[in-house]
Amino acid sequence: MSAQPGSGPQLSRGEFGLLLLGLLGRCEMYGYEIVAELRRSTEGAIDLPEGTVYPALRRLERDGLVGGHWVEMAGGAPRRRYYRLTQEGERALATGREDWLRFKSAADAVLGS
Amino acid sequence: MSAQPGSGPQLSRGEFGLLLLGLLGRCEMYGYEIVAELRRSTEGAIDLPEGTVYPALRRLERDGLVGGHWVEMAGGAPRRRYYRLTQEGERALATGREDWLRFKSAADAVLGS
DNA sequence: CCTCGTACCTAGAGTCTCTAGGTATGCCAC
DNA sequence: GTGGCATACCTAGAGACTCTAGGTACGAGG
């Protein structure tokens, strides 16, 4: 999703990963919450199914961009896996944001919006 | 790349196709030209290799969004395949633009940019 | 009971991007 | 005349991601 120093041409690869980093850059969250919050805060413009989000979170964790930990809930409620950004995740978010800004203006220019 | 009436949540699928439609919405172009023009006009922010662009153009043609025709060049220069938008391509571009605007503000909100 | 909500998970299909080549021609320099 | 570069097209295959369609488990409410 970045790591290439040069530029980040290919936003489309792992764009959703960047969105997750953006959310987690604000506060710790768990998967189910992320799905709902993304849908809510974007009024449905971004509506990722669970089958997209859970694997994406695992990839981010595998790549060391986020760290997750289980939290047992009281009263037999399902446990949650909370994720937060690692330092490397913070860096990836920063470069990802720059890539996004560049891509956004380029695409706007091409699309004439 | 759209066709679903509801909304177009998944921009990431076929985002580059939308960029090609955007370019072709301005004037007829051929593949090699598109690669160079995209690189030039976005100052390298979008730099798609030929191996991405040629198959993408064929998909757009297969899906009826663009129409292509060969033009023989004088003096033994390589022939070119020029593409232009079909009516269906115009419609797809219009919805694609709306989807892009929605996605863009949603992503901006999430990323805080 | 049966369904809904919470919260996690997976397998597999489908699709796209990119690398790394290949074809063919013409022009220029050495 | 040969090597390299530019124009223009193409493909196969690997790799990555998204999404569908399920599954697990528990508790609360009708």
Side-chain angles (χ1 to χ4, degrees):
Chain A
M1 177 166 9
S2 217
Q4 324 96 300
S7 64
Q10 275 33 314
L11 246 286
S12 79
R13 165 67 83 247
E15 181 139 340
F16 291 171
L18 178 58
L19 289 177
L20 299 187
L21 290 184
L23 270 188
L24 294 174
R26 299 219 268 264
C27 61
E28 214 173 75
M29 292 178 87
Y30 59 99
Y32 196 80
E33 185 185 14
I34 288 176
V35 172
E37 171 61 16
L38 218 39
R39 185 161 32 212
R40 193 198 60 75
S41 76
T42 68
E43 281 156 2
I46 297 173
D47 186 1
L48 304 179
E50 297 180 19
T52 297
V53 170
Y54 287 118
L57 286 169
R58 299 211 147 272
R59 280 195 299 273
L60 292 175
E61 186 169 23
R62 180 199 63 192
D63 296 343
L65 303 183
V66 305
H69 59 278
W70 289 107
V71 174
E72 299 296 332
M73 306 306 289
R79 61 186 187 161
R80 302 170 177 171
R81 188 162 180 85
Y82 276 91
Y83 293 94
R84 74 177 67 170
L85 287 191
T86 60
Q87 284 201 340
E88 190 160 346
E90 306 265 16
R91 282 194 293 272
L93 175 54
T95 29
R97 259 199 262 256
E98 290 169 26
D99 291 348
W100 164 245
L101 291 179
R102 262 202 305 278
F103 178 80
K104 193 176 57 167
S105 20
D108 274 341
V110 170
L111 291 173
S113 15
Chain B
M1 178 167 5
S2 216
Q4 326 95 297
S7 64
Q10 274 34 312
L11 246 286
S12 79
R13 165 69 82 247
E15 180 139 338
F16 291 170
L18 178 58
L19 290 177
L20 298 187
L21 291 184
L23 270 186
L24 294 173
R26 298 219 268 265
C27 61
E28 215 173 73
M29 291 179 88
Y30 58 98
Y32 197 80
E33 185 185 15
I34 288 176
V35 172
E37 171 62 15
L38 216 38
R39 186 159 32 213
R40 193 198 60 74
S41 76
T42 68
E43 283 156 0
I46 298 173
D47 185 3
L48 302 180
E50 297 180 19
T52 297
V53 170
Y54 287 118
L57 286 169
R58 297 210 147 271
R59 280 196 298 275
L60 292 175
E61 187 169 23
R62 180 200 61 193
D63 296 343
L65 303 183
V66 306
H69 59 279
W70 289 107
V71 175
E72 299 295 332
M73 305 306 289
R79 61 185 189 166
R80 303 171 178 170
R81 188 162 180 85
Y82 276 91
Y83 292 94
R84 75 178 65 171
L85 287 191
T86 61
Q87 285 201 339
E88 189 160 347
E90 307 264 17
R91 282 194 293 272
L93 175 55
T95 30
R97 259 200 261 259
E98 289 170 26
D99 291 347
W100 164 244
L101 290 179
R102 262 201 306 278
F103 177 80
K104 193 175 57 166
S105 21
D108 274 342
V110 169
L111 291 172
S113 17

